Amino acid sequence: AAMTHLQAGLSPETIEKARLELNENPDILHQDIQQVRDMIITRPDIGFLRTDDAFILRFLRARKFHQTEAFRLLAQYFQYRQLNLDMFKNFKADDPGIKRALTDGFPGVLENRDHCGRKILLLFAANWDQSRNSFIDILRAILLSLEVLIEDQELQINGFILIIDWSNFSFKQASKLTPSILKLAIEGLQDSFPARFGGVHFVNQPWYIHALYTLIKPFLKDKTRKRIFLHGNNLNSLHQLIHPECLPSEFGGTLPPYDMGTWARTLLGPDYSDENEYTHTSYNAMHVKHASSNLEREASPKPMKRSQSVVEAGTLKHEDQGESENTQPLLALD
């Protein structure tokens, strides 16, 4: 088979998979890319800030080399960034909001891939401390992480899996998930990002998350809907789709518990150790000593909730500080 420099570094198995699953043909790769590029003039309203071969290729892969679909995705990618300028203003790992979200484990990224070569992203919903991180910053951290990961050609072909653990996620936390911000997340991930999502797995979701899911369903494409799995506390159904060898112990897997700092350290590199502004940078006991120096500033830092720890105190006494949310909370809808 002809090899093009655009496929450099891919294993023969992955090249074959791209041919079978994505209709990727090395002989006409350049023509395919050029045909997408030629469509750019049809949308003068959008600034296409990057149009090199490697960049356009990821959109073709995300849409199985259907050129019109790939172009539509490329246009949406830049349009989403154009319509949400403030989200992408300082779109770097060391942006304070993004850095804080990464440091709190949003998203977690497992080192090893699953049996299909897909990258596994984890979200432990209960760790969302709403006094520290806005939902937008968490979304920005996820989009930035995907942006870094999608540089890897193997992942452009194999794709991603997202596991969201809702254990200990309070009704109060859920009430902050308004329809408008959920729609923003769906637009950013489903409609504007060049990645293949092999599955989105909900684990330990309470009834109110189920209710929320029902409300956002209309924004989901059929294809997305088919890939969302609500496992509840049935880890067996999760293990049928993602082998336990690929999962940390929180999900009944054989790997050790996920260390929340893993991905942040990867992205931030040497910057990561700059812990002055974080009360609970890492969730293991080793870091508790750092936290004590910040106590003056934070009066009473909240314990972080991990999925194993059953925090009986569920809703903490001082959760009502500084709430000026004028957005209609989703769950107050009749």
Side-chain angles (χ1 to χ4, degrees):
M3 245 305 259
T4 148
H5 70 279
L6 282 167
Q7 291 181 319
L10 289 175
S11 67
E13 300 79 52
T14 308
I15 290 177
E16 181 59 6
K17 181 175 180 174
R19 190 180 66 81
L20 290 172
E21 288 183 22
L22 305 180
N23 314 308
E24 182 166 329
N25 177 350
D27 302 330
I28 56 168
L29 216 46
H30 288 281
Q31 290 97 300
D32 286 335
I33 291 168
Q34 192 52 48
Q35 284 178 289
V36 172
R37 194 180 284 119
D38 289 342
M39 297 180 201
I40 288 175
I41 55 163
T42 65
R43 294 296 308 268
D45 55 314
I46 294 175
F48 290 85
L49 305 178
R50 199 184 151 185
T51 57
D52 55 281
D53 288 0
F55 188 69
I56 291 177
L57 178 55
R58 61 183 72 164
F59 290 86
L60 279 160
R61 284 173 170 158
R63 290 295 178 265
K64 300 195 171 178
F65 281 78
H66 190 297
Q67 293 164 0
T68 335
E69 292 296 308
F71 174 69
R72 184 175 302 148
L73 183 61
L74 178 70
Q76 298 229 215
Y77 174 92
F78 286 116
Q79 189 173 38
Y80 183 79
R81 280 150 182 73
Q82 216 164 282
L83 294 172
N84 300 292
L85 279 176
D86 43 338
M87 272 180 67
F88 297 95
K89 207 179 280 139
N90 190 27
F91 196 51
K92 302 200 294 288
D94 59 6
D95 169 81
I98 292 180
K99 186 174 179 179
R100 217 172 312 142
L102 291 169
T103 308
D104 283 2
F106 294 104
V109 179
L110 293 181
E111 226 163 303
N112 300 331
R113 305 168 182 200
D114 81 343
H115 60 287
C116 300
R118 298 176 291 200
K119 202 70 166 155
I120 303 173
L121 274 63
L122 308 174
L123 296 174
F124 292 93
N127 284 354
W128 177 22
D129 174 345
Q130 294 170 329
S131 63
R132 265 172 72 77
N133 297 114
S134 69
F135 181 82
I136 298 285
D137 281 339
I138 288 177
L139 178 57
R140 292 169 74 224
I142 292 170
L143 286 168
L144 178 68
S145 300
L146 285 169
E147 203 71 64
V148 170
L149 291 163
I150 203 68
E151 289 288 323
D152 180 335
Q153 297 219 49
E154 296 265 337
L155 295 181
Q156 294 172 15
I157 293 165
N158 294 328
F160 299 88
I161 282 179
L162 181 58
I163 306 179
I164 309 177
D165 183 356
W166 297 100
S167 317
N168 303 320
F169 189 69
S170 68
F171 186 86
K172 181 150 201 304
Q173 283 171 303
S175 66
K176 290 262 175 54
L177 296 172
T178 61
S180 57
I181 62 175
L182 288 169
K183 190 163 173 287
L184 189 69
I186 292 165
E187 284 169 1
L189 295 163
Q190 171 187 258
D191 306 321
S192 319
F193 197 80
R196 306 181 67 197
F197 288 102
V200 178
H201 300 271
F202 283 22
V203 178
N204 298 317
Q205 73 279 3
W207 66 267
Y208 40 89
I209 291 303
H210 203 265
L212 232 170
Y213 173 63
T214 312
L215 283 172
I216 61 164
K217 249 183 166 164
F219 302 128
L220 301 174
K221 295 177 175 157
D222 281 348
K223 194 173 133 189
T224 310
R225 232 174 278 177
K226 287 193 186 77
R227 302 213 171 128
I228 295 182
F229 302 91
L230 305 165
H231 298 284
N233 48 21
N234 177 6
L235 292 176
N236 289 335
S237 68
L238 177 70
H239 296 163
Q240 276 160 23
L241 298 164
I242 310 172
H243 301 166
E245 313 67 90
C246 309
L247 293 170
S249 60
E250 291 93 330
F251 301 108
T254 55
L255 298 175
Y258 182 71
D259 161 15
M260 290 296 170
T262 310
W263 179 240
R265 279 193 291 274
T266 309
L267 268 193
L268 289 159
D271 287 353
Y272 177 78
S273 56
D274 166 28
E275 267 186 76
N276 43 23
E277 47 180 310
Y278 306 125
T279 310
H280 29 239
T281 296
S282 179
Y283 301 84
N284 38 35
M286 294 187 303
H287 289 71
V288 171
K289 57 185 184 295
H290 298 292
S292 51
S293 58
N294 285 346
L295 290 182
E296 308 83 52
R297 211 173 316 133
E298 263 226 10
S300 52
K302 303 176 194 177
M304 290 312 288
K305 295 177 263 190
R306 275 309 292 274
S307 61
Q308 301 104 311
S309 66
V310 180
V311 179
E312 287 306 334
T315 46
L316 294 145
K317 299 299 158 274
H318 53 280
E319 266 195 342
D320 300 302
Q321 292 154 252
E323 301 233 3
S324 55
E325 289 289 310
N326 47 11
T327 37
Q328 168 73 15
L330 185 54
L331 296 158
L333 304 170
D334 299 324

